[in-house]
Amino acid sequence: MNDRIVIIGGGIIGLLCGRELLHRGYAVTILEGGTLQGSASTGNAGVISPGHPPIPTPEVAAKAFRMLLDRRSPLYIPPRASLPLLRWLLAFRRACRPAHFKMISQVLDQFSMRSRELFDPLVQEAPHALDASGFAEIVRTKAGQQHLAMERDRLEQSGFEVELQDGDTFREQDPGWDPSVRAALIHRHGIVTRPDLLIQHLSDQFTAEGGQLRTGCQVIRVHRQRNRFESVELNGGERVEADGLLLAAGIWTTRLVKDLGIRIPMQAAKGYHVMIEMKSPPRRAALLQEACVVVNPMGDQVRIAGTLELSGINDRMVTRRVNMLQEAARDYVPGIDEAPRRSEWNGLRPCTADGLPAIGLVPGMSNAFVATGHAMMGVTLGPGTAELVAGCIEGQALPNWAEPMNASRFA
Ligand SMILES: Cc1cc2nc3c(=O)[nH]c(=O)nc-3n(C[C@H](O)[C@H](O)[C@H](O)COP(=O)(O)OP(=O)(O)OC[C@H]3O[C@@H](n4cnc5c(N)ncnc54)[C@H](O)[C@@H]3O)c2cc1C
Protein backbone atom coordinates (compact mmCIF):
# COMPACT_ATOMS: atom_id res chain seq x y z
CA MET A 1 0.00 0.00 0.00
CA ASN A 2 1.47 3.37 -0.92
CA ASP A 3 -1.58 5.63 -0.84
CA ARG A 4 -0.60 9.14 0.17
CA ILE A 5 -2.55 10.59 3.09
CA VAL A 6 -2.20 14.19 4.17
CA ILE A 7 -3.21 15.11 7.71
CA ILE A 8 -3.97 18.69 8.72
CA GLY A 9 -2.98 19.22 12.38
CA GLY A 10 -0.07 17.92 14.44
CA GLY A 11 -1.91 17.74 17.77
CA ILE A 12 -2.41 14.50 19.66
CA ILE A 13 -5.13 13.34 17.25
CA GLY A 14 -3.17 14.10 14.06
CA LEU A 15 0.02 12.51 15.39
CA LEU A 16 -1.65 9.33 16.67
CA CYS A 17 -3.61 8.92 13.43
CA GLY A 18 -0.42 9.52 11.46
CA ARG A 19 1.38 6.86 13.47
CA GLU A 20 -1.41 4.30 12.94
CA LEU A 21 -1.63 4.97 9.20
CA LEU A 22 2.14 4.71 8.84
CA HIS A 23 2.04 1.33 10.60
CA ARG A 24 -0.63 0.21 8.11
CA GLY A 25 1.59 1.06 5.15
CA TYR A 26 0.37 4.50 4.05
CA ALA A 27 2.68 7.34 3.02
CA VAL A 28 1.70 10.02 5.51
CA THR A 29 2.37 13.77 5.59
CA ILE A 30 1.32 15.86 8.59
CA LEU A 31 0.95 19.60 8.00
CA GLU A 32 1.11 21.62 11.20
CA GLY A 33 0.59 25.38 11.22
CA GLY A 34 2.50 25.94 14.45
CA THR A 35 5.49 24.34 16.11
CA LEU A 36 3.76 21.26 17.67
CA GLN A 37 4.16 22.78 21.14
CA GLY A 38 1.56 25.21 22.45
CA SER A 39 -1.77 23.68 21.41
CA ALA A 40 -4.26 21.98 23.74
CA SER A 41 -2.36 18.76 23.08
CA THR A 42 0.71 20.00 24.95
CA GLY A 43 -0.91 22.35 27.48
CA ASN A 44 -3.54 19.97 28.80
CA ALA A 45 -3.77 18.61 32.35
CA GLY A 46 -2.04 15.37 31.39
CA VAL A 47 -4.53 12.88 32.79
CA ILE A 48 -5.64 9.95 30.65
CA SER A 49 -8.93 9.16 32.30
CA PRO A 50 -10.95 6.29 30.85
CA GLY A 51 -14.57 6.47 31.99
CA HIS A 52 -14.50 10.27 32.39
CA PRO A 53 -18.05 11.64 32.05
CA PRO A 54 -18.88 13.86 29.04
CA ILE A 55 -19.44 17.64 29.38
CA PRO A 56 -23.23 17.57 28.80
CA THR A 57 -24.78 15.96 31.87
CA PRO A 58 -28.18 16.41 33.56
CA GLU A 59 -26.36 18.13 36.48
CA VAL A 60 -24.72 20.69 34.18
CA ALA A 61 -28.12 21.53 32.68
CA ALA A 62 -29.47 22.26 36.16
CA LYS A 63 -26.56 24.61 36.94
CA ALA A 64 -26.23 26.18 33.48
CA PHE A 65 -28.05 29.45 34.14
CA ARG A 66 -26.05 30.16 37.30
CA MET A 67 -22.81 29.37 35.48
CA LEU A 68 -23.71 31.71 32.67
CA LEU A 69 -23.72 34.61 35.08
CA ASP A 70 -20.92 33.58 37.43
CA ARG A 71 -17.49 34.76 36.26
CA ARG A 72 -15.86 32.56 38.91
CA SER A 73 -17.60 29.36 37.85
CA PRO A 74 -15.28 26.68 36.34
CA LEU A 75 -17.68 26.56 33.38
CA TYR A 76 -18.22 30.12 32.20
CA ILE A 77 -19.94 31.61 29.16
CA PRO A 78 -19.26 35.34 28.83
CA PRO A 79 -22.41 36.89 27.33
CA ARG A 80 -21.92 37.66 23.60
CA ALA A 81 -24.21 37.97 20.63
CA SER A 82 -23.43 34.95 18.48
CA LEU A 83 -25.96 32.91 16.55
CA PRO A 84 -23.68 29.83 16.27
CA LEU A 85 -23.14 29.96 20.05
CA LEU A 86 -26.88 30.21 20.68
CA ARG A 87 -27.58 27.27 18.36
CA TRP A 88 -24.79 25.30 20.02
CA LEU A 89 -26.15 26.04 23.50
CA LEU A 90 -29.65 24.91 22.51
CA ALA A 91 -28.25 21.65 21.12
CA PHE A 92 -26.08 21.27 24.22
CA ARG A 93 -29.17 21.75 26.43
CA ARG A 94 -30.89 18.89 24.55
CA ALA A 95 -27.78 16.73 24.97
CA CYS A 96 -28.00 17.09 28.76
CA ARG A 97 -31.22 15.03 28.83
CA PRO A 98 -30.83 11.83 30.87
CA ALA A 99 -31.47 9.49 27.91
CA HIS A 100 -28.82 11.18 25.75
CA PHE A 101 -26.39 11.32 28.64
CA LYS A 102 -26.81 7.57 29.16
CA MET A 103 -26.20 6.86 25.48
CA ILE A 104 -23.06 9.00 25.14
CA SER A 105 -21.65 7.74 28.43
CA GLN A 106 -21.92 4.16 27.14
CA VAL A 107 -20.19 5.10 23.88
CA LEU A 108 -17.41 7.03 25.62
CA ASP A 109 -16.88 4.32 28.25
CA GLN A 110 -16.38 1.69 25.57
CA PHE A 111 -14.25 4.02 23.48
CA SER A 112 -12.00 5.04 26.37
CA MET A 113 -11.65 1.42 27.51
CA ARG A 114 -10.42 0.42 24.03
CA SER A 115 -8.17 3.47 23.88
CA ARG A 116 -6.66 2.55 27.25
CA GLU A 117 -5.74 -0.91 25.91
CA LEU A 118 -4.09 0.71 22.91
CA PHE A 119 -1.97 2.93 25.19
CA ASP A 120 -0.05 -0.11 26.52
CA PRO A 121 2.63 -0.23 23.79
CA LEU A 122 3.12 3.53 24.07
CA VAL A 123 3.63 3.27 27.83
CA GLN A 124 6.37 0.69 27.15
CA GLU A 125 7.94 2.86 24.45
CA ALA A 126 7.85 6.19 26.31
CA PRO A 127 7.97 5.64 30.09
CA HIS A 128 9.41 9.16 30.44
CA ALA A 129 6.15 10.57 29.08
CA LEU A 130 3.52 8.12 30.36
CA ASP A 131 3.11 6.74 33.88
CA ALA A 132 0.49 4.00 34.14
CA SER A 133 0.25 3.92 37.94
CA GLY A 134 -3.06 5.79 37.94
CA PHE A 135 -4.34 9.12 39.25
CA ALA A 136 -6.60 10.24 42.09
CA GLU A 137 -9.89 12.09 42.27
CA ILE A 138 -10.10 13.78 45.65
CA VAL A 139 -12.81 15.54 47.67
CA ARG A 140 -13.10 17.71 50.78
CA THR A 141 -16.86 17.73 51.35
CA LYS A 142 -19.48 15.22 52.40
CA ALA A 143 -21.34 15.74 49.12
CA GLY A 144 -18.06 15.10 47.32
CA GLN A 145 -17.59 11.87 49.26
CA GLN A 146 -21.06 10.71 48.21
CA HIS A 147 -20.24 11.63 44.62
CA LEU A 148 -17.04 9.53 44.75
CA ALA A 149 -18.96 6.50 46.07
CA MET A 150 -21.38 6.82 43.15
CA GLU A 151 -18.52 7.26 40.70
CA ARG A 152 -16.85 4.13 42.08
CA ASP A 153 -20.04 2.11 41.52
CA ARG A 154 -20.54 3.53 38.03
CA LEU A 155 -16.95 2.93 36.96
CA GLU A 156 -16.82 -0.58 38.43
CA GLN A 157 -20.04 -1.49 36.63
CA SER A 158 -18.44 -0.36 33.37
CA GLY A 159 -15.39 -2.54 34.04
CA PHE A 160 -12.87 0.11 35.18
CA GLU A 161 -10.49 -0.53 38.06
CA VAL A 162 -10.98 1.97 40.90
CA GLU A 163 -10.42 2.02 44.66
CA LEU A 164 -12.07 4.33 47.18
CA GLN A 165 -9.77 5.37 50.04
CA ASP A 166 -10.43 7.52 53.10
CA GLY A 167 -8.39 10.71 53.49
CA ASP A 168 -5.97 9.26 56.07
CA THR A 169 -5.10 6.22 53.98
CA PHE A 170 -4.59 8.44 50.94
CA ARG A 171 -2.34 10.88 52.82
CA GLU A 172 -0.22 8.08 54.31
CA GLN A 173 1.11 7.40 50.80
CA ASP A 174 1.05 11.04 49.68
CA PRO A 175 1.50 13.49 52.59
CA GLY A 176 1.52 16.60 50.35
CA TRP A 177 -2.30 16.86 50.50
CA ASP A 178 -4.23 18.92 53.06
CA PRO A 179 -5.70 17.11 56.13
CA SER A 180 -9.16 18.34 55.04
CA VAL A 181 -9.13 15.91 52.07
CA ARG A 182 -11.83 13.42 53.11
CA ALA A 183 -11.60 10.75 50.43
CA ALA A 184 -9.85 9.75 47.23
CA LEU A 185 -10.94 7.59 44.35
CA ILE A 186 -7.86 6.01 42.83
CA HIS A 187 -8.31 5.44 39.09
CA ARG A 188 -5.96 2.48 38.72
CA HIS A 189 -6.63 2.24 34.99
CA GLY A 190 -5.62 5.89 34.53
CA ILE A 191 -2.35 7.12 33.05
CA VAL A 192 -0.55 10.33 33.92
CA THR A 193 1.31 12.00 31.10
CA ARG A 194 3.76 14.83 30.43
CA PRO A 195 1.89 16.10 27.36
CA ASP A 196 4.88 18.00 25.92
CA LEU A 197 7.09 14.91 26.14
CA LEU A 198 4.37 12.70 24.69
CA ILE A 199 3.96 14.98 21.65
CA GLN A 200 7.76 15.13 21.26
CA HIS A 201 7.99 11.34 21.41
CA LEU A 202 5.19 10.84 18.88
CA SER A 203 6.65 13.35 16.43
CA ASP A 204 10.18 11.90 16.75
CA GLN A 205 8.85 8.37 16.20
CA PHE A 206 6.70 9.47 13.28
CA THR A 207 9.62 10.96 11.38
CA ALA A 208 11.98 8.10 12.38
CA GLU A 209 9.47 5.67 10.85
CA GLY A 210 9.35 7.54 7.54
CA GLY A 211 6.46 9.97 8.06
CA GLN A 212 6.77 13.52 6.75
CA LEU A 213 6.09 16.16 9.36
CA ARG A 214 6.06 19.77 8.21
CA THR A 215 5.71 22.46 10.86
CA GLY A 216 4.95 26.14 10.16
CA CYS A 217 2.67 25.02 7.32
CA GLN A 218 -0.70 26.70 7.71
CA VAL A 219 -3.38 25.22 5.44
CA ILE A 220 -5.54 28.04 4.12
CA ARG A 221 -7.81 26.06 1.78
CA VAL A 222 -8.88 22.55 0.94
CA HIS A 223 -9.52 21.92 -2.76
CA ARG A 224 -11.88 19.29 -4.13
CA GLN A 225 -13.26 18.18 -7.47
CA ARG A 226 -16.91 17.23 -6.87
CA ASN A 227 -16.80 14.52 -4.16
CA ARG A 228 -13.03 13.98 -4.29
CA PHE A 229 -10.47 15.82 -2.24
CA GLU A 230 -7.55 16.88 -4.46
CA SER A 231 -5.10 19.08 -2.60
CA VAL A 232 -4.53 21.50 0.23
CA GLU A 233 -3.19 25.00 -0.24
CA LEU A 234 -0.61 26.38 2.17
CA ASN A 235 -0.20 29.99 3.28
CA GLY A 236 2.74 30.48 0.88
CA GLY A 237 0.63 29.31 -2.09
CA GLU A 238 2.12 25.79 -2.34
CA ARG A 239 -0.37 22.99 -3.09
CA VAL A 240 0.06 19.55 -1.49
CA GLU A 241 -1.74 16.76 -3.34
CA ALA A 242 -2.64 13.37 -1.88
CA ASP A 243 -4.96 10.40 -2.34
CA GLY A 244 -6.72 11.03 0.94
CA LEU A 245 -7.18 13.79 3.52
CA LEU A 246 -7.64 13.68 7.27
CA LEU A 247 -8.80 16.84 9.03
CA ALA A 248 -7.48 16.74 12.59
CA ALA A 249 -7.04 20.44 13.26
CA GLY A 250 -8.84 20.64 16.61
CA ILE A 251 -11.25 23.58 16.87
CA TRP A 252 -9.97 24.98 13.56
CA THR A 253 -11.46 21.95 11.76
CA THR A 254 -14.79 23.80 11.87
CA ARG A 255 -13.50 26.34 9.36
CA LEU A 256 -11.54 23.95 7.12
CA VAL A 257 -14.38 21.48 6.71
CA LYS A 258 -16.56 24.21 5.18
CA ASP A 259 -14.34 23.99 2.06
CA LEU A 260 -15.75 20.47 1.66
CA GLY A 261 -19.32 21.75 1.79
CA ILE A 262 -20.36 20.63 5.26
CA ARG A 263 -20.58 22.09 8.74
CA ILE A 264 -19.31 20.51 11.94
CA PRO A 265 -20.50 23.01 14.52
CA MET A 266 -18.16 23.20 17.52
CA GLN A 267 -17.41 25.73 20.21
CA ALA A 268 -13.95 26.36 21.60
CA ALA A 269 -13.82 25.65 25.33
CA LYS A 270 -10.84 27.58 26.63
CA GLY A 271 -8.82 26.13 29.48
CA TYR A 272 -5.83 27.50 31.36
CA HIS A 273 -2.80 26.13 33.14
CA VAL A 274 -0.14 27.60 35.39
CA MET A 275 3.24 26.01 36.10
CA ILE A 276 4.46 26.62 39.64
CA GLU A 277 7.45 25.65 41.74
CA MET A 278 6.89 23.85 45.05
CA LYS A 279 9.40 22.40 47.49
CA SER A 280 7.31 19.37 48.57
CA PRO A 281 4.47 18.95 46.08
CA PRO A 282 2.01 16.04 46.17
CA ARG A 283 3.39 12.92 44.52
CA ARG A 284 0.37 11.72 42.60
CA ALA A 285 -1.63 13.69 40.02
CA ALA A 286 -5.16 14.41 41.19
CA LEU A 287 -8.43 15.87 40.03
CA LEU A 288 -9.73 18.16 42.79
CA GLN A 289 -13.37 17.26 42.37
CA GLU A 290 -15.19 20.22 43.92
CA ALA A 291 -12.76 22.74 42.40
CA CYS A 292 -12.78 21.14 38.88
CA VAL A 293 -9.00 21.57 38.73
CA VAL A 294 -6.17 19.08 38.12
CA VAL A 295 -2.88 19.23 40.03
CA ASN A 296 -0.17 17.32 38.18
CA PRO A 297 3.49 17.26 39.33
CA MET A 298 5.71 17.45 36.21
CA GLY A 299 9.47 17.25 36.67
CA ASP A 300 10.55 20.01 39.05
CA GLN A 301 7.31 21.96 38.60
CA VAL A 302 3.61 21.40 39.19
CA ARG A 303 0.90 22.04 36.60
CA ILE A 304 -2.47 23.30 37.79
CA ALA A 305 -4.98 23.09 34.93
CA GLY A 306 -8.68 23.61 34.44
CA THR A 307 -11.62 25.93 33.72
CA LEU A 308 -13.88 25.76 30.72
CA GLU A 309 -14.82 29.03 29.08
CA LEU A 310 -16.90 29.37 25.94
CA SER A 311 -15.51 32.68 24.74
CA GLY A 312 -14.82 31.94 21.07
CA ILE A 313 -11.60 31.19 19.20
CA ASN A 314 -8.97 33.45 20.74
CA ASP A 315 -5.94 33.16 23.02
CA ARG A 316 -6.81 36.01 25.38
CA MET A 317 -5.44 35.46 28.90
CA VAL A 318 -8.05 36.54 31.46
CA THR A 319 -5.96 37.16 34.59
CA ARG A 320 -8.89 36.63 36.95
CA ARG A 321 -9.50 33.15 35.54
CA VAL A 322 -5.82 32.18 35.51
CA ASN A 323 -5.53 33.21 39.16
CA MET A 324 -8.57 31.09 40.00
CA LEU A 325 -6.52 27.94 39.42
CA GLN A 326 -4.06 28.48 42.26
CA GLU A 327 -6.81 29.86 44.49
CA ALA A 328 -9.02 26.83 43.84
CA ALA A 329 -6.20 24.42 44.73
CA ARG A 330 -5.16 26.08 48.01
CA ASP A 331 -7.69 24.22 50.16
CA TYR A 332 -6.29 20.91 48.92
CA VAL A 333 -2.55 21.62 48.93
CA PRO A 334 -1.16 23.82 51.71
CA GLY A 335 0.89 26.72 50.36
CA ILE A 336 0.09 26.09 46.69
CA ASP A 337 -1.44 29.57 46.22
CA GLU A 338 1.80 31.22 47.37
CA ALA A 339 4.11 29.10 45.22
CA PRO A 340 6.02 31.11 42.58
CA ARG A 341 4.46 30.91 39.14
CA ARG A 342 6.82 30.07 36.28
CA SER A 343 4.43 30.28 33.32
CA GLU A 344 0.80 30.59 32.28
CA TRP A 345 -0.95 29.22 29.22
CA ASN A 346 -4.36 28.87 27.60
CA GLY A 347 -5.65 26.57 24.89
CA LEU A 348 -8.85 25.51 23.18
CA ARG A 349 -10.78 22.25 23.49
CA PRO A 350 -12.84 21.39 20.38
CA CYS A 351 -16.40 20.72 21.63
CA THR A 352 -19.42 19.47 19.74
CA ALA A 353 -22.77 20.22 21.35
CA ASP A 354 -23.79 16.58 21.69
CA GLY A 355 -20.71 15.61 23.71
CA LEU A 356 -19.28 13.15 21.19
CA PRO A 357 -16.29 13.42 18.84
CA ALA A 358 -16.87 13.58 15.08
CA ILE A 359 -15.04 10.73 13.36
CA GLY A 360 -15.08 9.16 9.89
CA LEU A 361 -15.76 10.00 6.27
CA VAL A 362 -16.74 13.61 5.60
CA PRO A 363 -20.35 13.29 4.39
CA GLY A 364 -20.62 13.62 0.62
CA MET A 365 -16.89 13.01 0.06
CA SER A 366 -15.14 9.81 -1.06
CA ASN A 367 -11.59 10.37 0.25
CA ALA A 368 -11.76 13.02 3.00
CA PHE A 369 -12.00 12.07 6.67
CA VAL A 370 -12.29 13.91 9.94
CA ALA A 371 -11.30 13.30 13.57
CA THR A 372 -12.15 16.07 16.00
CA GLY A 373 -14.48 17.21 18.79
CA HIS A 374 -12.76 15.34 21.61
CA ALA A 375 -13.46 18.13 24.13
CA MET A 376 -11.91 17.23 27.51
CA MET A 377 -10.74 13.78 26.39
CA GLY A 378 -8.53 14.19 23.34
CA VAL A 379 -5.51 12.50 24.87
CA THR A 380 -7.63 9.83 26.57
CA LEU A 381 -9.41 8.91 23.32
CA GLY A 382 -6.46 9.43 20.98
CA PRO A 383 -5.31 5.86 20.25
CA GLY A 384 -8.91 4.61 19.87
CA THR A 385 -9.59 7.47 17.45
CA ALA A 386 -6.56 6.50 15.38
CA GLU A 387 -7.80 2.91 15.14
CA LEU A 388 -11.28 4.00 14.00
CA VAL A 389 -9.93 6.54 11.50
CA ALA A 390 -7.53 4.02 9.96
CA GLY A 391 -10.40 1.52 9.62
CA CYS A 392 -12.52 4.15 7.81
CA ILE A 393 -9.65 5.04 5.46
CA GLU A 394 -9.31 1.34 4.65
CA GLY A 395 -12.98 1.38 3.63
CA GLN A 396 -14.59 -0.14 6.72
CA ALA A 397 -17.71 1.23 8.37
CA LEU A 398 -17.48 2.39 11.97
CA PRO A 399 -18.37 -0.45 14.35
CA ASN A 400 -21.98 -0.28 15.61
CA TRP A 401 -21.07 0.94 19.10
CA ALA A 402 -19.13 3.88 17.57
CA GLU A 403 -21.84 4.89 15.07
CA PRO A 404 -23.15 7.80 17.26
CA MET A 405 -19.72 9.45 16.70
CA ASN A 406 -20.04 9.26 12.90
CA ALA A 407 -19.27 12.64 11.33
CA SER A 408 -22.20 11.99 8.96
CA ARG A 409 -24.58 13.06 11.74
CA PHE A 410 -23.83 16.67 10.75
CA ALA A 411 -24.82 16.15 7.08
C1 LIG B 1 -6.73 23.08 30.14
C2 LIG B 1 -6.97 21.79 29.40
C3 LIG B 1 -6.83 20.58 30.08
C4 LIG B 1 -7.05 19.38 29.41
N1 LIG B 1 -6.81 18.21 30.08
C5 LIG B 1 -6.96 17.02 29.44
C6 LIG B 1 -6.63 15.80 30.09
O1 LIG B 1 -6.16 15.80 31.22
N2 LIG B 1 -6.82 14.64 29.41
C7 LIG B 1 -7.34 14.61 28.12
O2 LIG B 1 -7.54 13.52 27.57
N3 LIG B 1 -7.63 15.76 27.47
C8 LIG B 1 -7.45 16.96 28.09
N4 LIG B 1 -7.73 18.13 27.45
C9 LIG B 1 -8.31 18.07 26.09
C10 LIG B 1 -7.26 17.80 25.04
O3 LIG B 1 -6.15 18.62 25.25
C11 LIG B 1 -7.86 18.04 23.66
O4 LIG B 1 -9.05 17.29 23.50
C12 LIG B 1 -6.89 17.61 22.57
O5 LIG B 1 -5.64 18.24 22.74
C13 LIG B 1 -7.42 17.91 21.17
O6 LIG B 1 -6.44 17.48 20.28
P1 LIG B 1 -6.47 17.83 18.74
O7 LIG B 1 -5.28 17.20 18.13
O8 LIG B 1 -7.83 17.49 18.20
O9 LIG B 1 -6.40 19.43 18.68
P2 LIG B 1 -5.22 20.45 19.02
O10 LIG B 1 -4.43 20.03 20.18
O11 LIG B 1 -5.87 21.80 19.08
O12 LIG B 1 -4.29 20.36 17.75
C14 LIG B 1 -4.70 20.84 16.50
C15 LIG B 1 -3.48 21.26 15.73
O13 LIG B 1 -3.88 21.64 14.42
C16 LIG B 1 -3.09 22.75 14.04
N5 LIG B 1 -3.84 23.50 13.01
C17 LIG B 1 -5.01 24.15 13.16
N6 LIG B 1 -5.39 24.72 12.00
C18 LIG B 1 -4.44 24.41 11.10
C19 LIG B 1 -4.25 24.72 9.73
N7 LIG B 1 -5.15 25.46 9.05
N8 LIG B 1 -3.14 24.26 9.11
C20 LIG B 1 -2.23 23.50 9.77
N9 LIG B 1 -2.35 23.19 11.07
C21 LIG B 1 -3.44 23.63 11.73
C22 LIG B 1 -2.91 23.55 15.33
O14 LIG B 1 -1.78 24.39 15.24
C23 LIG B 1 -2.76 22.44 16.36
O15 LIG B 1 -1.42 22.11 16.60
C24 LIG B 1 -7.48 19.37 28.06
C25 LIG B 1 -7.60 20.58 27.38
C26 LIG B 1 -7.34 21.79 28.03
C27 LIG B 1 -7.46 23.07 27.26
Side-chain angles (χ1 to χ4, degrees):
M1 172 100 52
N2 58 3
D3 285 8
R4 297 161 308 160
I5 305 290
V6 69
I7 298 178
I8 308 179
I12 189 73
I13 299 299
L15 283 168
L16 283 168
C17 290
R19 171 187 164 100
E20 182 64 26
L21 290 167
L22 213 55
H23 290 177
R24 295 190 188 205
Y26 290 88
V28 187
T29 300
I30 296 179
L31 301 172
E32 163 56 46
T35 59
L36 292 181
Q37 297 288 337
S39 70
S41 295
T42 54
N44 64 74
V47 174
I48 291 163
S49 50
H52 194 287
I55 300 179
T57 65
E59 292 77 39
V60 168
K63 291 185 212 156
F65 189 63
R66 206 176 63 218
M67 287 172 170
L68 194 71
L69 301 174
D70 182 359
R71 297 192 302 170
R72 297 193 61 79
S73 160
L75 198 166
Y76 173 52
I77 311 169
R80 67 192 156 99
S82 158
L83 198 55
L85 174 64
L86 184 64
R87 280 205 203 101
W88 189 95
L89 285 172
L90 291 172
F92 180 82
R93 179 74 184 78
R94 285 194 296 277
C96 290
R97 288 179 188 152
H100 182 86
F101 171 68
K102 194 170 165 209
M103 184 276 285
I104 59 175
S105 299
Q106 280 167 357
V107 173
L108 291 175
D109 281 356
Q110 184 159 353
F111 196 21
S112 57
M113 178 82 90
R114 176 64 187 146
S115 224
R116 173 63 188 84
E117 286 166 11
L118 294 168
F119 259 113
D120 279 337
L122 264 169
V123 172
Q124 303 295 322
E125 250 175 61
H128 64 296
L130 294 157
D131 168 3
S133 62
F135 69 94
E137 185 176 351
I138 62 177
V139 295
R140 296 177 61 250
T141 61
K142 201 160 179 208
Q145 209 167 358
Q146 284 163 356
H147 168 83
L148 281 196
M150 276 164 31
E151 267 300 274
R152 177 203 45 201
D153 295 347
R154 181 184 74 80
L155 287 163
E156 277 179 353
Q157 269 168 23
S158 303
F160 297 107
E161 203 190 331
V162 282
E163 182 193 337
L164 191 53
Q165 295 181 345
D166 61 43
D168 291 338
T169 312
F170 177 61
R171 263 186 313 277
E172 263 166 38
Q173 302 142 31
D174 201 348
W177 298 101
D178 193 79
S180 64
V181 170
R182 288 172 80 114
L185 187 65
I186 312 297
H187 292 243
R188 299 233 174 268
H189 54 275
I191 301 175
V192 178
T193 166
R194 282 277 308 262
D196 53 338
L197 300 184
L198 178 59
I199 292 294
Q200 189 63 55
H201 171 77
L202 289 172
S203 56
D204 289 349
Q205 279 295 108
F206 179 74
T207 45
E209 290 176 356
Q212 249 208 40
L213 176 56
R214 297 179 58 186
T215 53
C217 284
Q218 190 74 18
V219 173
I220 55 164
R221 187 147 305 137
V222 179
H223 293 278
R224 64 171 168 148
Q225 187 64 257
R226 283 193 274 277
N227 71 342
R228 276 198 73 76
F229 150 76
E230 289 206 318
S231 66
V232 295
E233 185 177 336
L234 306 184
N235 44 357
E238 182 191 346
R239 292 245 188 149
V240 179
E241 290 180 3
D243 305 305
L245 168 74
L246 173 64
L247 287 160
I251 186 64
W252 298 275
T253 308
T254 297
R255 198 202 64 65
L256 291 164
V257 82
K258 283 184 187 159
D259 291 348
L260 299 176
I262 75 147
R263 286 174 0 105
I264 298 188
M266 291 194 290
Q267 284 294 317
K270 189 187 282 181
Y272 296 87
H273 84 222
V274 293
M275 298 298 293
I276 57 162
E277 256 174 39
M278 279 193 85
K279 286 232 163 57
S280 315
R283 216 172 38 78
R284 196 192 274 277
L287 165 63
L288 320 184
Q289 217 278 325
E290 296 97 345
C292 299
V293 157
V294 171
V295 169
N296 188 353
M298 292 184 181
D300 57 359
Q301 300 190 6
V302 178
R303 176 169 293 181
I304 314 175
T307 82
L308 212 145
E309 177 186 309
L310 300 183
S311 56
I313 301 182
N314 64 72
D315 60 0
R316 249 190 327 271
M317 281 301 237
V318 180
T319 310
R320 173 177 30 86
R321 293 194 61 80
V322 188
N323 292 344
M324 268 170 54
L325 294 172
Q326 258 175 288
E327 286 162 18
R330 77 177 152 215
D331 293 333
Y332 296 78
V333 187
I336 201 166
D337 53 329
E338 283 150 20
R341 200 180 287 180
R342 292 299 165 227
S343 59
E344 335 178 306
W345 166 94
N346 73 65
L348 304 174
R349 306 171 182 92
C351 296
T352 60
D354 65 7
L356 289 175
I359 295 174
L361 192 63
V362 174
M365 298 293 295
S366 61
N367 62 344
F369 303 82
V370 67
T372 189
H374 294 79
M376 300 196 291
M377 295 179 73
V379 191
T380 306
L381 301 174
T385 300
E387 184 178 63
L388 291 181
V389 163
C392 291
I393 290 179
E394 285 179 341
Q396 296 154 23
L398 285 177
N400 276 345
W401 64 265
E403 191 50 39
M405 297 189 288
N406 199 325
S408 66
R409 71 188 188 277
F410 297 105

